[in-house]
Amino acid sequence: MKKFMTLLALIAIPFAMQAQTKFHDVEANEAKGPVKSITTQQMGRSQTITFTADGKQEGVTDAVYDADGYIQSAKIEAQGQKIEVKYTWENGKVKSRTMNMMGREFTTINNYDENGVLKSTSMDMGGQTMEMPYTDYKFDDKGNWISRKTSMMGRDMEMPRTIEYFE
């Protein structure tokens, strides 16, 4: 069960990131601006998410967007698992994600500080809540975080990420 929870957390966190774009998938991944790709390192694993020039995330299927280009739902495949994700937005940021994975539904709720920086994520895993605080942020010159620390399941870890931009 612990491996399953860790796998779920690894999948949720990267999903678990405002520019004037047609689509806001970049913002759904805690970033802004003309982002081409985001590579996140966590627990010895690397995950890269790529975007089109208009801000649409590549590798998702059946994506549904509202009239303003904010993703409402999509299907993704991560680590061999097919996952359905539904998003709720508040003030241009993802407030929550509900993921259906292997017949089970999990919800993450994002909590932001007064500057709009993600300060923690709460995960409801079938009635069990896990809180992941984020601290010690480092930002690049475009205002996107490139490193932060978190504590998950009693383990402290640094989460570095590399962002490539369209020129």
Side-chain angles (χ1 to χ4, degrees), residues 7 11 40 42 49 65 99 155 165:
L7 173 64
I11 292 167
T40 306
Q42 186 176 0
I49 300 170
Y65 294 88
M99 294 167 277
R155 184 175 176 190
Y165 295 92

Side-chain angles (χ1 to χ4, degrees), residues 126-162:
Q128 182 180 7
T129 301
M130 181 172 70
E131 181 87 13
M132 292 185 309
Y134 301 108
T135 61
D136 299 329
Y137 277 90
K138 293 178 184 159
F139 296 89
D140 67 11
D141 60 354
K142 300 197 185 315
N144 288 314
W145 71 267
I146 54 173
S147 177
R148 68 183 179 192
K149 292 182 181 175
T150 190
S151 179
M152 182 171 39
M153 298 167 67
R155 184 175 176 190
D156 293 335
M157 62 187 114
E158 185 172 350
M159 298 172 56
R161 73 178 186 172
T162 304

Side-chain angles (χ1 to χ4, degrees), residues 74-87:
K75 293 180 182 173
I76 60 169
E77 188 169 323
Q79 312 240 339
Q81 299 294 321
K82 293 184 190 291
I83 304 166
E84 295 177 45
V85 184
K86 293 180 184 173
Y87 301 85

Side-chain angles (χ1 to χ4, degrees), residues 17-21 23-38 51 53 55 89 92-93 115-117 139-146 161 163-166:
M17 308 205 173
Q18 187 142 75
Q20 297 300 315
T21 59
F23 298 99
H24 297 277
D25 297 6
V26 171
E27 289 89 345
N29 287 279
E30 290 183 74
K32 56 189 171 189
V35 173
K36 187 174 187 176
S37 69
I38 299 172
F51 302 90
W89 292 80
K93 299 203 175 283
N115 298 316
V117 176
F139 296 89
D140 67 11
D141 60 354
K142 300 197 185 315
N144 288 314
W145 71 267
I146 54 173
R161 73 178 186 172
I163 301 176
E164 182 182 355
Y165 295 92
F166 288 101

Side-chain angles (χ1 to χ4, degrees), residues 39-50:
T39 301
T40 306
Q41 304 289 327
Q42 186 176 0
M43 299 176 76
R45 294 189 176 164
S46 176
Q47 180 179 14
T48 300
I49 300 170
T50 57

